[in-house]
Amino acid sequence: MTDAAKTVPFPARRTLRSLADLTEAGLTTAEKAQQLQSVADRYAIAITPEMADLINPADPHDPIARQFVPDSAELTVSHTESADPIGDDVHEVVPGLIHRYPDRVLLKFVNVCAVYCRFCFRREMVGPQAGTKVIPDLDAALAYIRNRPEVWEVVVSGGDPLVAAPRRIAELIQALAAVPHVRIVRFHTRVPVVAPGRVTAELVASLEHPDIATWVAVHANHPAEFTGESRAAIARLAEAGIPLVSQTVLLASVNDDAETLAMLMRTFVENRIKPYYLHHGDLAPGTSHFRTTIAHGRSLMKALRGHVSGLCQPTYVLDIPGGHGKAPIGPSAVDDIREPRTVEDFRGQRHCYPPE
């Protein structure tokens, strides 16, 4: 944290949830707050004290502020953007349960988050306006899972499922563990990074069950998000034997340069988190200022290959609009067009490969 950030009179350790809060914290001005009212009326605001502490208000390009502080650009909606950019609605089998892939389902366990990212692909569906903290028909979701023997894994999302009380999480784990064909439950969360104090011994214990394997996918987009508190929270999960993987969204002016991306992936690995997905920005309303081109994303993946450890290589994926699922879109080192076939090394030199 910079000296400039240290001098900001943040309200005492509470989540900032309004433009008035942001103004009081020095993260915007009264004049800008008036201009942002239309954004706040449409999309929820929440910045935890841990994230607010990282923001340098004097830096107009601060990567943490860009992720969480509202921007008037969010009111610019292109014709390609959609309130349901990855097609959740197409595959919703009961309220809050998405069955898109044959062997797994996604359960929207809660409709709220600890923080609200300005680029969220479910930004029209999460937040206080969603009306309920837990999905309305969990019993129906569990009944569907029990009746589908092909379902091997349940991905628990939302919202952010780790904002739920440990008791509710434990009840969910117990219910899923009782289904013989469900062997994996995977939680997707920002909590260990943005609200590490929630990762208590009670929460960690709620994730564990002898009859089912729990995995946690930790979402972070910039190495600055890894504070001492967040590293300790992640360690509590890792030391409990819970496997950890990462999620990152490729974001313009946040992490869309090779140096930042390499540092982020190394930070994941140093904290016992295996890089898993680098998401191309979804076509959510008002998020075009965050999206890079696919060509730029591929160039970044190419820059990572060979220059950082193989442990640090995520899969670059695009969620195909309309509900068609994720597709890997990273660069290929193989030239299949010309003969003899060549393979490019990490230095950019090509080498012949014999005919198969």
Side-chain angles (χ1 to χ4, degrees), residues 32 56-63 65-66 71 253:
K32 286 183 180 177
N56 179 2
D59 180 2
H61 306 293
D62 185 278
R66 184 162 168 78
D71 189 315
S253 299

Side-chain angles (χ1 to χ4, degrees), residues 215-216 218 226 230-246 264-275 311:
W215 289 61
V216 172
V218 179
F226 286 81
S230 66
R231 290 170 188 264
I234 291 163
R236 287 192 286 276
L237 293 166
E239 288 162 11
I242 297 172
L244 304 173
V245 295
S246 79
L264 174 60
M265 296 304 149
R266 285 172 170 157
T267 303
F268 278 129
V269 172
E270 289 166 7
N271 285 274
R272 293 176 279 183
I273 301 170
K274 175 66 183 79
L311 291 173

Side-chain angles (χ1 to χ4, degrees), residues 307-318:
H307 294 279
V308 296
S309 167
L311 291 173
C312 300
Q313 307 291 328
T315 300
Y316 181 35
V317 294
L318 169 72

Side-chain angles (χ1 to χ4, degrees), residues 156 162 165-178 183-187 199-216 233-244:
V156 186
L162 294 195
R167 175 185 59 82
R168 293 202 65 93
I169 294 171
E171 289 171 353
L172 175 64
I173 294 280
Q174 289 164 10
L176 293 175
R183 308 308 303 142
I184 307 293
V185 57
R186 182 190 348 153
F187 286 81
V199 185
T200 61
E202 184 184 9
L203 177 65
V204 174
S206 76
L207 295 168
E208 300 176 282
H209 194 286
D211 296 329
I212 198 167
T214 299
W215 289 61
V216 172
I234 291 163
R236 287 192 286 276
L237 293 166
E239 288 162 11
I242 297 172
L244 304 173

